[in-house]
Amino acid sequence: MTRVLFVCLGNICRSPTAEAIFRDKVEKAGLAEDFEIDSAGTIGEHSGNPADSRMREHAARRGYDLSSISRKIHPADFHRYDLILAMDRENLVDLRDICPPEHRAKIRLMMGYAPQLGVEIVPDPYYGGSQGFERVLDLLELACEGLLRELTP
Ligand code: 4NP
């Protein structure tokens, strides 16, 4: 069993999308039993809310159902998950700040799984237009592909 947690700031745009895309790829590969997949935010501002409606709409056009409900990262997550994948550098720094030292190596940048793109972060789409949401989907589809490749024998 491999446990993967995707993390962004609000847990309403990028990390729920990563969660849905990765779950889709894992299910299509017939590996649903081998993974636990979830997402969280570094802030609790949107806790209890569904994903951003713009993000949900763009994701639905590609066949992804963003059904997750926003939650803030919890200290126990650092023990439970094997990989904690940050969408940008701010997320990475915030996670490292609160992570017990013995679990710090679990925290990585998500785009590290698509090194062919030469892109370091998944940009925050919250205050922008529809292009930003499409960009999130493009980047995360490739990074999720790389992640699954790395995690399967
Ligand atoms: P996310 O996007 O981190 O990808 O979920 C954001 C969501 C909310 C805010 C910023 C980014 N906000 O400022 O409330």
PDB file of all heavy atoms in Angstrom, residues 7-16 41 43 45-46 52 55 87-88 91 123-127 136, ligand 1:
ATOM      1  N   VAL A   7      -0.950  18.339  -1.863  1.00  0.00           N
ATOM      2  CA  VAL A   7      -1.185  19.525  -1.028  1.00  0.00           C
ATOM      3  C   VAL A   7      -1.001  20.815  -1.833  1.00  0.00           C
ATOM      4  O   VAL A   7      -0.029  20.967  -2.575  1.00  0.00           O
ATOM      5  CB  VAL A   7      -0.220  19.540   0.186  1.00  0.00           C
ATOM      6  CG1 VAL A   7      -0.434  20.798   1.023  1.00  0.00           C
ATOM      7  CG2 VAL A   7      -0.415  18.287   1.048  1.00  0.00           C
ATOM      8  N   CYS A   8      -1.980  21.735  -1.677  1.00  0.00           N
ATOM      9  CA  CYS A   8      -1.829  23.100  -2.200  1.00  0.00           C
ATOM     10  C   CYS A   8      -2.226  24.063  -1.087  1.00  0.00           C
ATOM     11  O   CYS A   8      -2.276  23.670   0.087  1.00  0.00           O
ATOM     12  CB  CYS A   8      -2.644  23.304  -3.475  1.00  0.00           C
ATOM     13  SG  CYS A   8      -4.424  23.063  -3.269  1.00  0.00           S
ATOM     14  N   LEU A   9      -2.514  25.307  -1.430  1.00  0.00           N
ATOM     15  CA  LEU A   9      -2.853  26.286  -0.391  1.00  0.00           C
ATOM     16  C   LEU A   9      -4.267  26.057   0.153  1.00  0.00           C
ATOM     17  O   LEU A   9      -4.453  25.803   1.350  1.00  0.00           O
ATOM     18  CB  LEU A   9      -2.718  27.702  -0.979  1.00  0.00           C
ATOM     19  CG  LEU A   9      -2.999  28.868  -0.037  1.00  0.00           C
ATOM     20  CD1 LEU A   9      -1.920  28.967   1.032  1.00  0.00           C
ATOM     21  CD2 LEU A   9      -3.086  30.187  -0.811  1.00  0.00           C
ATOM     22  N   GLY A  10      -5.259  26.124  -0.719  1.00  0.00           N
ATOM     23  CA  GLY A  10      -6.653  26.101  -0.257  1.00  0.00           C
ATOM     24  C   GLY A  10      -7.341  24.753  -0.320  1.00  0.00           C
ATOM     25  O   GLY A  10      -8.426  24.581   0.216  1.00  0.00           O
ATOM     26  N   ASN A  11      -6.721  23.798  -1.030  1.00  0.00           N
ATOM     27  CA  ASN A  11      -7.337  22.476  -1.264  1.00  0.00           C
ATOM     28  C   ASN A  11      -8.689  22.596  -1.967  1.00  0.00           C
ATOM     29  O   ASN A  11      -9.602  21.810  -1.716  1.00  0.00           O
ATOM     30  CB  ASN A  11      -7.462  21.680   0.053  1.00  0.00           C
ATOM     31  CG  ASN A  11      -7.829  20.205  -0.148  1.00  0.00           C
ATOM     32  OD1 ASN A  11      -8.510  19.608   0.686  1.00  0.00           O
ATOM     33  ND2 ASN A  11      -7.398  19.598  -1.223  1.00  0.00           N
ATOM     34  N   ILE A  12      -8.802  23.597  -2.848  1.00  0.00           N
ATOM     35  CA  ILE A  12     -10.023  23.689  -3.654  1.00  0.00           C
ATOM     36  C   ILE A  12      -9.728  23.748  -5.161  1.00  0.00           C
ATOM     37  O   ILE A  12     -10.644  23.635  -5.966  1.00  0.00           O
ATOM     38  CB  ILE A  12     -10.922  24.893  -3.266  1.00  0.00           C
ATOM     39  CG1 ILE A  12     -10.124  26.194  -3.280  1.00  0.00           C
ATOM     40  CG2 ILE A  12     -11.591  24.670  -1.914  1.00  0.00           C
ATOM     41  CD1 ILE A  12     -11.001  27.441  -3.167  1.00  0.00           C
ATOM     42  N   CYS A  13      -8.472  23.949  -5.545  1.00  0.00           N
ATOM     43  CA  CYS A  13      -8.157  23.984  -6.985  1.00  0.00           C
ATOM     44  C   CYS A  13      -7.144  22.907  -7.365  1.00  0.00           C
ATOM     45  O   CYS A  13      -7.496  21.882  -7.951  1.00  0.00           O
ATOM     46  CB  CYS A  13      -7.630  25.361  -7.400  1.00  0.00           C
ATOM     47  SG  CYS A  13      -8.858  26.683  -7.266  1.00  0.00           S
ATOM     48  N   ARG A  14      -5.874  23.125  -7.044  1.00  0.00           N
ATOM     49  CA  ARG A  14      -4.824  22.252  -7.579  1.00  0.00           C
ATOM     50  C   ARG A  14      -4.775  20.875  -6.956  1.00  0.00           C
ATOM     51  O   ARG A  14      -4.726  19.860  -7.672  1.00  0.00           O
ATOM     52  CB  ARG A  14      -3.455  22.945  -7.436  1.00  0.00           C
ATOM     53  CG  ARG A  14      -3.332  24.189  -8.293  1.00  0.00           C
ATOM     54  CD  ARG A  14      -2.167  25.059  -7.868  1.00  0.00           C
ATOM     55  NE  ARG A  14      -2.394  25.655  -6.556  1.00  0.00           N
ATOM     56  CZ  ARG A  14      -1.508  26.359  -5.879  1.00  0.00           C
ATOM     57  NH1 ARG A  14      -0.296  26.539  -6.386  1.00  0.00           N
ATOM     58  NH2 ARG A  14      -1.809  26.878  -4.714  1.00  0.00           N
ATOM     59  N   SER A  15      -4.762  20.787  -5.618  1.00  0.00           N
ATOM     60  CA  SER A  15      -4.595  19.450  -5.024  1.00  0.00           C
ATOM     61  C   SER A  15      -5.812  18.532  -5.199  1.00  0.00           C
ATOM     62  O   SER A  15      -5.625  17.329  -5.396  1.00  0.00           O
ATOM     63  CB  SER A  15      -4.137  19.526  -3.562  1.00  0.00           C
ATOM     64  OG  SER A  15      -5.054  20.208  -2.749  1.00  0.00           O
ATOM     65  N   PRO A  16      -7.051  19.051  -5.191  1.00  0.00           N
ATOM     66  CA  PRO A  16      -8.171  18.143  -5.494  1.00  0.00           C
ATOM     67  C   PRO A  16      -8.107  17.624  -6.932  1.00  0.00           C
ATOM     68  O   PRO A  16      -8.531  16.509  -7.224  1.00  0.00           O
ATOM     69  CB  PRO A  16      -9.422  19.012  -5.317  1.00  0.00           C
ATOM     70  CG  PRO A  16      -8.979  20.236  -4.618  1.00  0.00           C
ATOM     71  CD  PRO A  16      -7.523  20.406  -4.862  1.00  0.00           C
ATOM     72  N   GLY A  41      -5.043  21.131   2.258  1.00  0.00           N
ATOM     73  CA  GLY A  41      -4.523  22.480   2.060  1.00  0.00           C
ATOM     74  C   GLY A  41      -3.641  22.891   3.224  1.00  0.00           C
ATOM     75  O   GLY A  41      -3.760  22.343   4.324  1.00  0.00           O
ATOM     76  N   ILE A  43      -3.825  25.917   4.363  1.00  0.00           N
ATOM     77  CA  ILE A  43      -4.701  26.808   5.146  1.00  0.00           C
ATOM     78  C   ILE A  43      -6.080  26.165   5.294  1.00  0.00           C
ATOM     79  O   ILE A  43      -6.470  25.327   4.479  1.00  0.00           O
ATOM     80  CB  ILE A  43      -4.864  28.211   4.501  1.00  0.00           C
ATOM     81  CG1 ILE A  43      -5.473  28.117   3.092  1.00  0.00           C
ATOM     82  CG2 ILE A  43      -3.525  28.945   4.455  1.00  0.00           C
ATOM     83  CD1 ILE A  43      -5.910  29.458   2.500  1.00  0.00           C
ATOM     84  N   GLU A  45      -8.935  27.902   5.426  1.00  0.00           N
ATOM     85  CA  GLU A  45      -9.913  28.889   4.948  1.00  0.00           C
ATOM     86  C   GLU A  45     -11.146  28.278   4.269  1.00  0.00           C
ATOM     87  O   GLU A  45     -12.256  28.753   4.434  1.00  0.00           O
ATOM     88  CB  GLU A  45      -9.187  29.759   3.918  1.00  0.00           C
ATOM     89  CG  GLU A  45      -9.851  31.020   3.544  1.00  0.00           C
ATOM     90  CD  GLU A  45      -9.438  32.157   4.475  1.00  0.00           C
ATOM     91  OE1 GLU A  45      -8.483  31.963   5.245  1.00  0.00           O
ATOM     92  OE2 GLU A  45     -10.097  33.199   4.418  1.00  0.00           O
ATOM     93  N   HIS A  46     -10.942  27.239   3.482  1.00  0.00           N
ATOM     94  CA  HIS A  46     -12.031  26.668   2.679  1.00  0.00           C
ATOM     95  C   HIS A  46     -12.485  25.301   3.199  1.00  0.00           C
ATOM     96  O   HIS A  46     -13.207  24.584   2.513  1.00  0.00           O
ATOM     97  CB  HIS A  46     -11.597  26.558   1.217  1.00  0.00           C
ATOM     98  CG  HIS A  46     -11.205  27.872   0.623  1.00  0.00           C
ATOM     99  ND1 HIS A  46     -12.117  28.750   0.073  1.00  0.00           N
ATOM    100  CD2 HIS A  46     -10.000  28.493   0.530  1.00  0.00           C
ATOM    101  CE1 HIS A  46     -11.489  29.836  -0.340  1.00  0.00           C
ATOM    102  NE2 HIS A  46     -10.205  29.713  -0.081  1.00  0.00           N
ATOM    103  N   ASP A  52     -13.398  24.351  -6.038  1.00  0.00           N
ATOM    104  CA  ASP A  52     -13.793  25.563  -6.769  1.00  0.00           C
ATOM    105  C   ASP A  52     -14.620  25.180  -8.009  1.00  0.00           C
ATOM    106  O   ASP A  52     -14.232  24.296  -8.776  1.00  0.00           O
ATOM    107  CB  ASP A  52     -12.507  26.292  -7.179  1.00  0.00           C
ATOM    108  CG  ASP A  52     -12.778  27.612  -7.855  1.00  0.00           C
ATOM    109  OD1 ASP A  52     -13.160  27.598  -9.047  1.00  0.00           O
ATOM    110  OD2 ASP A  52     -12.591  28.652  -7.206  1.00  0.00           O
ATOM    111  N   MET A  55     -12.784  25.195 -11.323  1.00  0.00           N
ATOM    112  CA  MET A  55     -11.862  24.053 -11.446  1.00  0.00           C
ATOM    113  C   MET A  55     -12.643  22.778 -11.753  1.00  0.00           C
ATOM    114  O   MET A  55     -12.234  21.969 -12.578  1.00  0.00           O
ATOM    115  CB  MET A  55     -11.076  23.907 -10.130  1.00  0.00           C
ATOM    116  CG  MET A  55      -9.908  22.937 -10.194  1.00  0.00           C
ATOM    117  SD  MET A  55      -8.467  23.544 -11.116  1.00  0.00           S
ATOM    118  CE  MET A  55      -8.523  22.556 -12.603  1.00  0.00           C
ATOM    119  N   MET A  87       2.328  21.606  -4.483  1.00  0.00           N
ATOM    120  CA  MET A  87       2.117  22.166  -5.818  1.00  0.00           C
ATOM    121  C   MET A  87       3.090  23.304  -6.128  1.00  0.00           C
ATOM    122  O   MET A  87       3.451  23.499  -7.283  1.00  0.00           O
ATOM    123  CB  MET A  87       0.672  22.678  -5.965  1.00  0.00           C
ATOM    124  CG  MET A  87      -0.359  21.580  -5.819  1.00  0.00           C
ATOM    125  SD  MET A  87      -0.202  20.282  -7.064  1.00  0.00           S
ATOM    126  CE  MET A  87      -0.362  18.826  -6.034  1.00  0.00           C
ATOM    127  N   ASP A  88       3.480  24.083  -5.107  1.00  0.00           N
ATOM    128  CA  ASP A  88       4.440  25.169  -5.371  1.00  0.00           C
ATOM    129  C   ASP A  88       5.400  25.324  -4.198  1.00  0.00           C
ATOM    130  O   ASP A  88       5.321  24.583  -3.203  1.00  0.00           O
ATOM    131  CB  ASP A  88       3.723  26.488  -5.717  1.00  0.00           C
ATOM    132  CG  ASP A  88       2.870  27.038  -4.568  1.00  0.00           C
ATOM    133  OD1 ASP A  88       3.186  26.759  -3.384  1.00  0.00           O
ATOM    134  OD2 ASP A  88       1.891  27.754  -4.852  1.00  0.00           O
ATOM    135  N   ASN A  91       3.910  26.155  -0.731  1.00  0.00           N
ATOM    136  CA  ASN A  91       3.353  24.950  -0.091  1.00  0.00           C
ATOM    137  C   ASN A  91       4.482  24.123   0.519  1.00  0.00           C
ATOM    138  O   ASN A  91       4.361  23.598   1.632  1.00  0.00           O
ATOM    139  CB  ASN A  91       2.609  24.050  -1.080  1.00  0.00           C
ATOM    140  CG  ASN A  91       1.556  24.743  -1.925  1.00  0.00           C
ATOM    141  OD1 ASN A  91       1.313  24.342  -3.061  1.00  0.00           O
ATOM    142  ND2 ASN A  91       0.924  25.785  -1.391  1.00  0.00           N
ATOM    143  N   PRO A 123       1.144  26.587 -11.086  1.00  0.00           N
ATOM    144  CA  PRO A 123       0.746  27.948 -10.689  1.00  0.00           C
ATOM    145  C   PRO A 123      -0.683  27.982 -10.134  1.00  0.00           C
ATOM    146  O   PRO A 123      -1.567  27.281 -10.633  1.00  0.00           O
ATOM    147  CB  PRO A 123       0.835  28.750 -11.985  1.00  0.00           C
ATOM    148  CG  PRO A 123       1.651  27.931 -12.916  1.00  0.00           C
ATOM    149  CD  PRO A 123       1.427  26.504 -12.528  1.00  0.00           C
ATOM    150  N   ASP A 124      -0.870  28.817  -9.133  1.00  0.00           N
ATOM    151  CA  ASP A 124      -2.168  29.017  -8.494  1.00  0.00           C
ATOM    152  C   ASP A 124      -3.144  29.653  -9.490  1.00  0.00           C
ATOM    153  O   ASP A 124      -2.891  30.746  -9.977  1.00  0.00           O
ATOM    154  CB  ASP A 124      -1.940  29.946  -7.290  1.00  0.00           C
ATOM    155  CG  ASP A 124      -3.203  30.215  -6.510  1.00  0.00           C
ATOM    156  OD1 ASP A 124      -4.296  29.823  -6.972  1.00  0.00           O
ATOM    157  OD2 ASP A 124      -3.097  30.821  -5.430  1.00  0.00           O
ATOM    158  N   PRO A 125      -4.248  28.978  -9.813  1.00  0.00           N
ATOM    159  CA  PRO A 125      -5.175  29.509 -10.828  1.00  0.00           C
ATOM    160  C   PRO A 125      -6.273  30.390 -10.237  1.00  0.00           C
ATOM    161  O   PRO A 125      -7.099  30.934 -10.967  1.00  0.00           O
ATOM    162  CB  PRO A 125      -5.817  28.224 -11.384  1.00  0.00           C
ATOM    163  CG  PRO A 125      -5.905  27.334 -10.177  1.00  0.00           C
ATOM    164  CD  PRO A 125      -4.685  27.653  -9.314  1.00  0.00           C
ATOM    165  N   TYR A 126      -6.300  30.550  -8.920  1.00  0.00           N
ATOM    166  CA  TYR A 126      -7.465  31.092  -8.212  1.00  0.00           C
ATOM    167  C   TYR A 126      -7.884  32.476  -8.689  1.00  0.00           C
ATOM    168  O   TYR A 126      -9.061  32.746  -8.863  1.00  0.00           O
ATOM    169  CB  TYR A 126      -7.175  31.113  -6.710  1.00  0.00           C
ATOM    170  CG  TYR A 126      -8.381  31.359  -5.838  1.00  0.00           C
ATOM    171  CD1 TYR A 126      -9.389  30.411  -5.705  1.00  0.00           C
ATOM    172  CD2 TYR A 126      -8.511  32.539  -5.108  1.00  0.00           C
ATOM    173  CE1 TYR A 126     -10.477  30.619  -4.887  1.00  0.00           C
ATOM    174  CE2 TYR A 126      -9.603  32.757  -4.275  1.00  0.00           C
ATOM    175  CZ  TYR A 126     -10.576  31.798  -4.175  1.00  0.00           C
ATOM    176  OH  TYR A 126     -11.651  32.018  -3.361  1.00  0.00           O
ATOM    177  N   TYR A 127      -6.908  33.365  -8.912  1.00  0.00           N
ATOM    178  CA  TYR A 127      -7.258  34.741  -9.258  1.00  0.00           C
ATOM    179  C   TYR A 127      -7.175  35.027 -10.753  1.00  0.00           C
ATOM    180  O   TYR A 127      -7.310  36.172 -11.177  1.00  0.00           O
ATOM    181  CB  TYR A 127      -6.364  35.722  -8.485  1.00  0.00           C
ATOM    182  CG  TYR A 127      -6.629  35.673  -6.994  1.00  0.00           C
ATOM    183  CD1 TYR A 127      -5.742  35.040  -6.129  1.00  0.00           C
ATOM    184  CD2 TYR A 127      -7.795  36.225  -6.467  1.00  0.00           C
ATOM    185  CE1 TYR A 127      -5.992  34.968  -4.763  1.00  0.00           C
ATOM    186  CE2 TYR A 127      -8.052  36.161  -5.119  1.00  0.00           C
ATOM    187  CZ  TYR A 127      -7.147  35.538  -4.273  1.00  0.00           C
ATOM    188  OH  TYR A 127      -7.411  35.467  -2.927  1.00  0.00           O
ATOM    189  N   VAL A 136      -3.361  24.044 -15.168  1.00  0.00           N
ATOM    190  CA  VAL A 136      -3.297  23.137 -14.008  1.00  0.00           C
ATOM    191  C   VAL A 136      -3.545  21.698 -14.463  1.00  0.00           C
ATOM    192  O   VAL A 136      -2.815  20.772 -14.088  1.00  0.00           O
ATOM    193  CB  VAL A 136      -4.327  23.552 -12.926  1.00  0.00           C
ATOM    194  CG1 VAL A 136      -4.518  22.459 -11.884  1.00  0.00           C
ATOM    195  CG2 VAL A 136      -3.895  24.856 -12.251  1.00  0.00           C
TER     196      VAL A 136
HETATM  197  P1  4NP B   1      -5.494  26.153  -4.435  1.00  0.00           P
HETATM  198  O1  4NP B   1      -6.014  27.581  -4.934  1.00  0.00           O
HETATM  199  O2  4NP B   1      -4.388  26.394  -3.442  1.00  0.00           O
HETATM  200  O3  4NP B   1      -5.005  25.522  -5.691  1.00  0.00           O
HETATM  201  O4  4NP B   1      -6.696  25.442  -3.834  1.00  0.00           O
HETATM  202  C1  4NP B   1      -6.342  28.613  -4.040  1.00  0.00           C
HETATM  203  C2  4NP B   1      -7.488  28.552  -3.317  1.00  0.00           C
HETATM  204  C3  4NP B   1      -7.833  29.577  -2.452  1.00  0.00           C
HETATM  205  C4  4NP B   1      -7.001  30.671  -2.325  1.00  0.00           C
HETATM  206  C5  4NP B   1      -5.835  30.724  -3.041  1.00  0.00           C
HETATM  207  C6  4NP B   1      -5.508  29.693  -3.901  1.00  0.00           C
HETATM  208  N1  4NP B   1      -7.360  31.737  -1.472  1.00  0.00           N
HETATM  209  O5  4NP B   1      -6.626  32.738  -1.419  1.00  0.00           O
HETATM  210  O6  4NP B   1      -8.377  31.653  -0.759  1.00  0.00           O
END
